């Protein structure tokens, strides 16, 4: 994933066709009571050698708000029920390839805390889509020190600094 500046869209390839598919997404930074952050490890099935870590979240369904998508994605990808969602902690745009399509996603990040120790939680993967089953291999709870020192690709790249900057956390609970 590559962060991009805000644009009005409309970029096109040499044939005049759109160079990317526009998408809108909601992402959720999940922190446990010990300060560990939940990330998923994914690949693009068309480039399985490229591995990256990312927060729960995904695209908005038609007619869905960012907040509704954040709650739905959190429930589907982790089994956690959102109990309080507070302010957006970041808004940005990223470009990324997936299965031969280049996407440009406008996304909002929210932050929630679960009142238990993350490693003791069994993440419920039952709500995963077929795409998620094919492209996500595992999950892990990361300390901020691990995020700052890893050589692995983490999105957003400054996640540890973003987590440190959050002043008010929403809440979620395992089912």
């Amino acid at each position: 994933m590559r962060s991009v500046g805000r644009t009005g869209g409309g970029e096109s390839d040499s044939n005049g066709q759109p160079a990317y598919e526009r998408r809108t997404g909601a992402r959720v930074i999940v922190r446990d009571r010990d300060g560990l952050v939940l990330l998923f490890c994914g690949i693009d099935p068309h480039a399985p050698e490229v591995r990256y870590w990312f927060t729960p979240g995904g695209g908005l369904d038609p007619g869905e708000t960012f907040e509704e998508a954040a709650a739905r994605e959190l429930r589907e990808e982790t089994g956690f029920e959102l109990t309080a969602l507070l302010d957006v902690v970041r808004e940005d745009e990223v470009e990324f390839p997936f299965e031969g399509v280049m996407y440009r996603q406008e996304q909002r990040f929210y932050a929630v805390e679960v009142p238990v120790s993350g490693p003791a939680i069994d993440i419920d993967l039952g709500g995963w889509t077929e795409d998620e089953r094919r492209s996500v291999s595992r999950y892990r709870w990361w300390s901020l020190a691990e995020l700052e020192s890893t050589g692995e690709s983490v999105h957003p790249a400054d996640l540890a600094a973003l987590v440190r900057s959050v002043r008010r956390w929403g809440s979620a609970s395992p089912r």
Side-chain angles (χ1 to χ4, degrees):
M1 257 179 262
R2 180 172 75 79
S3 290
V4 295
R6 294 228 174 245
T7 70
E11 288 98 285
S12 55
D13 66 15
S14 60
N15 297 322
Q17 299 298 311
Y20 55 85
E21 191 85 22
R22 299 281 298 169
R23 187 177 137 111
T24 307
R27 310 226 55 92
V28 183
I29 301 167
V30 179
R31 179 177 78 173
D32 77 352
R33 71 173 181 210
D34 302 317
L36 301 178
V37 177
L38 176 65
L39 296 178
F40 293 114
C41 183
I43 60 156
D44 177 344
H46 284 195
E49 70 282 0
V50 179
R51 186 174 67 185
Y52 51 91
W53 292 88
F54 60 97
T55 62
L60 273 66
D61 287 341
E64 193 173 42
T65 67
F66 283 95
E67 294 79 11
E68 290 166 341
R72 177 184 51 77
E73 289 286 344
L74 188 64
R75 184 177 50 258
E76 290 174 356
E77 294 181 359
T78 67
F80 298 165
E81 289 295 334
L82 190 62
T83 53
L85 190 64
L86 301 179
D87 303 329
V88 173
V89 297
R90 171 174 288 167
E91 251 183 286
D92 65 14
E93 280 192 355
V94 294
E95 288 180 350
F96 61 93
F98 189 75
E99 296 193 320
V101 177
M102 183 60 110
Y103 291 93
R104 177 169 280 185
Q105 177 167 289
E106 175 190 344
Q107 57 189 11
R108 293 181 185 172
F109 284 82
Y110 299 89
V112 300
E113 190 169 57
V114 292
V116 292
S117 178
I121 300 170
D122 286 327
I123 301 296
D124 180 356
L125 310 178
W128 283 22
T129 65
E130 186 57 37
D131 282 345
E132 290 162 342
R133 285 188 180 91
R134 285 185 298 106
S135 63
V136 180
S137 61
R138 65 188 184 276
Y139 63 88
R140 177 179 162 202
W141 293 89
W142 294 69
S143 72
L144 296 184
E146 289 170 327
L147 286 171
E148 291 170 328
S149 66
T150 187
E152 300 210 45
S153 179
V154 174
H155 299 284
D158 66 341
L159 181 58
L162 177 57
V163 168
R164 281 192 174 93
S165 75
V166 175
R167 296 292 169 241
R168 293 175 6 126
W169 290 79
S171 58
S173 59
R175 283 193 247 182

